[in-house]
Amino acid sequence: MFLSDKSSEIFKIALYSIDKKLYNNNYSLETGRLPICGQLPNKGEMFMGMTMTQKILAAGAGLDSVSAGQLIRVKLSLVLGNDITTPVAINEFEKNGFDGVFDKSKIAMVMDHFVPNKDIKAAQQTKQCRCFACKYDIDNYFDVGEMGIEHALLPEKGLVAPGDIVIGADSHTCTYGAVGAFSTGVGSTDMAAGMATGEAWFKVPEAIRFELTGKLKPFVSGKDVILFIIGKIGVDGALYKSMEFTGEGVSELSVDDRLCIANMAIEAGAKNGIFEVDDQTLEYVNARVNRPYTVYKADEDAVYERVINIDLGAIDPTVACPHLPENTRDAAALSDVKIDQVVIGSCTNGRISDLRIAAEILKGKHIAKGVRAIVIPATPTIYREAMKAGYIDIFMDAGCAVSTPTCGPCLGGYMGILAEDEVAVATTNRNFVGRMGHVSSKIYLASPAVAAASAITGVITDPRNI
Amino acid sequence: MNAKGTVHKYGNNIDTDVIIPARYLNTADHSELAKHCMEDIDTSFVNKVQKGDIMVGGANFGCGSSREHAPIAIKAAGIDCVIAKSFARIFYRNAINIGLAILECPEASDKISDGDTVSIDFDTGIIYNETKQEQYQAQPFPDFIKEIINANGLLNSIKSRKGN
């Protein structure tokens, strides 16, 4: 996109004077960006390098280039909803007289929040989704038995791939940035519009680049990384922006770690979180995805709002104290906090590697007297894998309850509601007032390792001290 | 388009879990949702709110979940407009998509007090505080957003686009 406003012009001149090579590279065919008019721009005109997110959005909009702040309409690879948000979308869809979906293979409905249904009203809502999915022959409708927590299920099923543009009527839809997709949470009306048209409008975001270096210490995981970052930038530190994770440290993070980190981008206010695609991503994706996809890389001269360097090796087990995810402390500093309940699960931390570390810590031990621990494998596949690996036995021997997949306790729906003044350590993603139950209850967000260690001691515990 | 009403003021990071707790999300009925709006931080809100009132928040209003039930509950409770220092992005989208007017205005967010009477001219973005006799200038909507609002919501705007 040619730049016309004054600030961009000033930036352009500044860039030219700083690095002529960078300036000239803007015209490189290798970057894959061609002028909109099909000709090389004149001197004084140039393209801004694009971030990874901007490149995906440009492709989705059928444009050669986009820049931050631009309003665009893009084609969608997938439209997602769950049993809470889909009924509102269906109501809007039907109220407005739509009588068909844009592509029945590109809509996913996952019944996970209050499912298996917690009460009659929830059952009615799920029934409404089921009937709609049946009427329009939706390919990817997941109900009890097949369903898992949506953001664990979709990557596992190969429904999201690099370069995809995904909207989901669930704020943690940003999870799929872990595999190099642009994915973001929207509301039910956007979902309805997406189902009808296969399109959505976006304001192109600017991005913060997180340059990851180093290697995680033992017992430190993606959860500690994202809590550490939110503690650093705040719950609105990335408001409206992309969080792009790059650098040599990316390869030190497992795909599960990346899914966890991208999942919580929304807790910093971000539009999306996205990781550079590497061999690990491709190995994960190629084992699951059965269709062509495109890998996008940020331009070398992409413009970022700021760059934040994160040394993975400097991060210790981190906990977010009530009532905001930005209230972070080292787990080791919270050993005076007595707990009543532990929840290990959710779209953030219900994957097999989460259960593995929890099982390693709980093996041969028993949870503290007076503490309840609930473990929720996020999908049936993860559940079965945990069962085969002996983790379910370990959890049950330790005194934990193990549940079928559900979002239930994370949002105070059911399956582990907190009473007045109770304290929970949860591997979930939000510790807002009343989120998991009574308004006076308190939630400490932590990794599965911290949660498992805390279940054993009855106080918040650094897993390295067990 | 104008609004005028009494202000209900709240702080920073008002999240969608306090706007409408998840325990009430087993229904999509607007009036049911309205009955529980803000109850986890202000149990008196639903009793004192009058049709046409204004809600004022601090930074990052509407953070958290994507639940459209949040702006729906606020609108169905009688609120005509939410003014805040900044909005979380999904809430911002959802409010526009369902036709709840929202204005970003840090000055108004700082200066307006709970209980003030405020009038708003949406065409100019001018917020007038009748109690304090002060005027604040809000960010007007970009044209793209105006089109959605003028069409009375996203789905209507899509229908009219298809019709054209």
Side-chain angles (χ1 to χ4, degrees):
Chain A
M1 159 122 203
F2 293 131
L3 297 163
S4 53
D5 67 277
K6 205 175 169 185
S7 59
S8 302
E9 193 63 35
I10 292 165
F11 168 78
K12 214 158 52 180
I13 293 162
L15 180 65
Y16 186 63
S17 58
I18 292 165
D19 190 342
K20 286 179 189 167
K21 188 169 161 248
L22 202 63
Y23 180 85
N24 290 330
N25 277 350
N26 276 293
Y27 308 125
S28 165
L29 292 178
E30 286 169 19
T31 63
R33 288 177 295 108
L34 288 165
I36 292 169
C37 58
Q39 294 174 341
L40 289 179
N42 299 320
K43 190 173 180 183
E45 291 177 329
M46 61 172 284
F47 299 118
M48 298 270 266
M50 287 190 285
T51 67
M52 198 173 161
T53 293
Q54 289 166 355
K55 283 186 130 175
I56 295 172
L57 289 176
L63 299 171
D64 295 314
S65 180
V66 295
S67 57
Q70 190 177 348
L71 287 156
I72 55 167
R73 190 170 286 121
V74 298
K75 294 213 175 305
L76 299 169
S77 316
L78 189 72
V79 179
L80 164 71
N82 58 48
D83 53 301
I84 286 177
T85 56
T86 305
V88 179
I90 293 171
N91 292 345
E92 289 302 311
F93 186 94
E94 290 177 344
K95 194 173 81 190
N96 284 279
F98 292 108
D99 57 3
V101 297
F102 83 106
D103 186 337
K104 73 185 187 74
S105 71
K106 293 183 177 176
I107 294 168
M109 293 181 180
V110 187
M111 305 297 104
D112 59 358
H113 275 58
F114 293 163
V115 176
N117 291 133
K118 79 186 184 87
D119 55 29
I120 294 169
K121 284 181 174 175
Q124 289 294 126
Q125 295 205 126
T126 307
K127 186 179 176 185
Q128 188 185 4
C129 300
R130 194 179 295 126
C131 292
F132 184 92
C134 185
K135 181 177 178 184
Y136 293 104
D137 196 21
I138 304 299
D139 292 350
N140 295 300
Y141 172 78
F142 299 99
D143 211 328
V144 174
E146 289 184 311
M147 72 84 173
I149 296 175
E150 52 197 326
H151 309 307
L153 189 70
L154 266 50
E156 183 186 285
K157 293 275 182 194
L159 292 173
V160 289
D164 279 1
I165 298 179
V166 182
I167 61 165
D170 187 281
S171 60
H172 293 107
T173 303
C174 50
T175 308
Y176 318 128
V179 296
F182 169 82
S183 62
T184 191
V186 296
S188 298
T189 299
D190 276 314
M191 181 193 177
M195 288 197 298
T197 65
E199 292 182 348
W201 66 269
F202 289 111
K203 192 169 173 182
V204 177
E206 56 182 353
I208 301 174
R209 183 157 67 91
F210 292 86
E211 182 74 19
L212 308 182
T213 56
K215 194 176 173 176
L216 294 176
K217 295 175 189 169
F219 294 104
V220 176
S221 67
K223 183 60 163 289
D224 303 292
V225 175
I226 190 63
L227 289 178
F228 175 84
I229 287 172
I230 296 166
K232 208 175 163 72
I233 67 173
V235 291
D236 60 354
L239 196 59
Y240 294 94
K241 300 184 178 91
S242 299
M243 295 170 78
E244 294 204 0
F245 299 95
T246 64
E248 64 191 40
V250 169
S251 63
E252 298 293 338
L253 296 170
S254 68
V255 171
D256 279 4
D257 281 329
R258 300 179 203 183
L259 288 161
C260 172
I261 291 169
N263 171 276
M264 285 190 70
I266 179 68
E267 310 313 334
K271 178 170 255 174
N272 68 317
I274 193 163
F275 276 82
E276 253 177 7
V277 173
D278 67 1
D279 290 345
Q280 264 196 83
T281 324
L282 295 177
E283 192 186 334
Y284 179 93
V285 168
N286 291 339
R288 293 165 177 83
V289 176
N290 296 316
R291 59 182 164 89
Y293 59 84
T294 309
V295 173
Y296 292 89
K297 266 180 91 79
D299 290 328
E300 281 184 16
D301 60 338
V303 176
Y304 292 91
E305 191 248 353
R306 57 181 164 147
V307 178
I308 297 175
N309 295 306
I310 304 286
D311 176 4
L312 297 175
I315 298 173
D316 289 309
T318 302
V319 171
C321 301
H323 290 286
L324 283 176
E326 69 183 21
N327 296 335
T328 52
R329 303 271 304 274
D330 284 350
L334 295 166
S335 57
D336 57 339
V337 178
K338 281 192 65 175
I339 62 169
D340 301 292
Q341 182 169 296
V342 166
V343 173
I344 298 174
S346 83
C347 61
T348 311
N349 279 127
R351 298 184 181 83
I352 194 66
S353 59
D354 300 316
L355 303 188
R356 186 180 303 124
I357 187 76
E360 280 170 16
I361 291 168
L362 285 163
K363 190 173 186 179
K365 303 221 168 61
H366 201 279
I367 62 172
K369 193 170 164 48
V371 172
R372 292 115 42 196
I374 301 162
V375 182
I376 309 179
T379 70
T381 302
I382 294 167
Y383 200 128
R384 195 183 290 271
E385 207 177 334
M387 199 163 59
K388 284 184 178 167
Y391 303 157
I392 305 294
D393 281 337
I394 292 171
F395 296 138
M396 293 184 75
D397 289 344
C400 306
V402 183
S403 161
T404 190
T406 180
C407 307
C410 171
L411 74 162
Y414 72 130
M415 289 290 292
I417 303 294
L418 299 174
E420 189 174 4
D421 296 333
E422 283 193 329
V423 176
V425 172
T427 68
T428 56
N429 40 57
R430 292 193 175 123
N431 54 355
F432 300 152
V433 171
R435 169 81 177 178
M436 290 180 77
H438 196 280
V439 287
S440 69
S441 61
K442 294 185 178 67
I443 307 159
Y444 290 80
L445 303 176
S447 70
V450 170
S454 305
I456 294 167
T457 61
V459 293
I460 292 178
T461 301
D462 185 323
R464 299 172 300 194
N465 298 334
I466 273 282
Chain B
M1 186 182 163
N2 294 302
K4 182 181 169 180
T6 305
V7 166
H8 304 269
K9 185 162 184 190
Y10 300 99
N12 291 332
N13 301 312
I14 296 300
D15 62 77
T16 52
D17 277 278
V18 299
I19 296 171
I20 183 70
R23 58 185 175 276
Y24 302 118
L25 299 185
N26 53 5
T27 179
D29 183 88
H30 293 197
S31 58
E32 276 295 310
L33 295 168
K35 281 183 200 165
H36 302 289
C37 187
M38 311 304 284
E39 85 174 24
D40 280 1
I41 52 163
D42 183 3
T43 49
S44 66
F45 171 75
V46 290
N47 295 323
K48 66 188 179 193
V49 66
Q50 301 286 320
K51 190 159 173 40
D53 279 356
I54 312 288
M55 190 177 280
V56 177
N60 203 26
F61 187 96
C63 61
S65 152
S66 68
R67 63 190 70 158
E68 204 159 289
H69 313 67
I72 287 171
I74 291 173
K75 191 180 177 193
I79 294 291
D80 267 0
C81 176
V82 184
I83 301 167
K85 202 168 275 186
S86 62
F87 289 93
R89 60 161 284 274
I90 305 177
F91 183 90
Y92 186 89
R93 261 185 107 90
N94 287 347
I96 288 163
N97 284 345
I98 67 152
L100 170 67
I102 54 173
L103 291 175
E104 265 186 8
C105 184
E107 191 189 5
S109 168
D110 283 338
K111 292 186 175 171
I112 294 174
S113 305
D114 192 49
D116 284 358
T117 300
V118 163
S119 59
I120 301 159
D121 183 330
F122 290 105
D123 291 330
T124 60
I126 289 172
I127 300 166
Y128 183 67
N129 187 334
E130 298 191 0
T131 308
K132 292 198 169 74
Q133 301 197 346
E134 292 174 344
Q135 188 171 300
Y136 325 107
Q137 180 68 53
Q139 290 279 342
F141 289 124
D143 289 343
F144 190 86
I145 305 292
K146 249 185 229 165
E147 275 174 36
I148 294 174
I149 292 171
N150 289 341
N152 197 24
L154 178 69
L155 295 177
N156 282 322
S157 76
I158 288 169
K159 278 196 298 186
S160 60
R161 202 170 75 226
K162 284 198 160 179
N164 294 336

